[in-house]
Amino acid sequence: MSGTEAPADDAANPDWLTLDPDEEIVWTGQPAFETLYGTIATGLVLTVVLIGFLILLGVPFAYYRIENTEYVVTTKSLYVKTGILSTNIETVDLDRIQNTEFTRSFWGKQFDYGTISISTAGSSGAEISFDGIPDAPAVRDRITELQRRHGGRDEDGEGGDAPASADQLAELIEEVRATREAFERIEDHLTDGTADDDDDQSRTNASSP
């Protein structure tokens, strides 16, 4: 099953996901069912030994795992929902993403799916991952674009730093003026001290026989 560009309306929101008022869904998807082909093929090849039957017995569980896994990319965060008997939701904000890595297995190359691993600053490995999704490079590029766009905004959603106000400029000028006056006083004090030392030295030389 391929991912989709989702419209930003309440009807498109999964029932397990609660968004902020200014947060919109950009992409939704789930693992491709083609990921099962490699498991089935491996199990059939290994049916000559017991391990092959065990692999095939795990196919229904893998199917339900795919059915109950969802990935969501919004304008603020990435979400992963997993769980068959229970629900587990993982999330990473765009501004915390440090690195995204794309990998593709042998079977992924054959059936055009791959995995995106997302790492955050300070994490020792992948924080979350989008496993076995179709057209994974395009999804990764979309995440990178959103991350770059989100990182270029301030809290009000505008790019760049806000210009300094007139009061801030006046305060800065006053601080610079005060600093300059302080240095001038230090310089005058040092100059007066040097002059006094010269006078004392001159009087000492004059009084010497």
Side-chain angles (χ1 to χ4, degrees):
M1 181 177 294
S2 61
T4 58
E5 293 285 338
D9 54 28
D10 292 339
N13 294 353
D15 56 6
W16 53 268
L17 182 61
T18 301
L19 301 178
D20 293 336
D22 58 344
E23 186 175 11
E24 299 179 356
I25 292 179
V26 176
W27 177 88
T28 61
Q30 65 181 140
F33 285 102
E34 286 82 357
T35 58
L36 296 176
Y37 296 167
T39 302
I40 295 172
T42 302
L44 291 174
V45 170
L46 296 177
T47 50
V48 294
V49 294
L50 180 60
I51 187 66
F53 291 102
L54 294 177
I55 292 175
L56 293 176
L57 287 175
V59 170
F61 176 81
Y63 173 86
Y64 284 112
R65 180 185 60 81
I66 292 174
E67 274 286 305
N68 290 275
T69 299
E70 294 183 57
Y71 306 126
V72 176
V73 177
T74 73
T75 52
K76 287 188 174 183
S77 304
L78 310 182
Y79 300 87
V80 176
K81 193 271 287 186
T82 57
I84 298 177
L85 300 178
S86 61
T87 299
N88 179 57
I89 300 173
E90 299 176 281
T91 180
V92 167
D93 294 336
L94 290 173
D95 56 9
R96 291 185 56 221
I97 296 176
Q98 183 76 15
N99 183 54
T100 58
E101 181 181 356
F102 164 71
T103 57
R104 177 176 283 170
S105 65
F106 169 80
W107 293 109
K109 291 180 180 179
Q110 311 310 310
F111 298 106
D112 192 26
Y113 63 80
T115 294
I116 302 173
S117 301
I118 296 97
S119 302
T120 59
S123 62
S124 58
E127 188 81 8
I128 62 174
S129 60
F130 291 179
D131 298 320
I133 60 173
D135 202 13
V139 177
R140 181 194 181 190
D141 291 342
R142 186 64 170 138
I143 293 173
T144 302
E145 177 189 351
L146 289 168
Q147 179 191 8
R148 186 181 301 113
R149 187 184 305 171
H150 189 274
R153 298 178 179 177
D154 58 19
E155 294 181 355
D156 295 328
E158 300 294 337
D161 296 330
S165 65
D167 291 341
Q168 290 174 325
L169 290 175
E171 183 179 353
L172 178 61
I173 292 173
E174 186 64 28
E175 290 179 358
V176 172
R177 183 182 292 113
T179 302
R180 184 185 64 184
E181 291 175 354
F183 276 115
E184 289 176 349
R185 287 194 296 269
I186 294 173
E187 183 179 2
D188 292 342
H189 178 74
L190 293 175
T191 301
D192 292 342
T194 302
D196 292 341
D197 291 342
D198 290 342
D199 291 342
D200 292 342
Q201 183 66 35
S202 298
R203 285 194 293 271
T204 301
N205 294 337
S207 60
S208 298

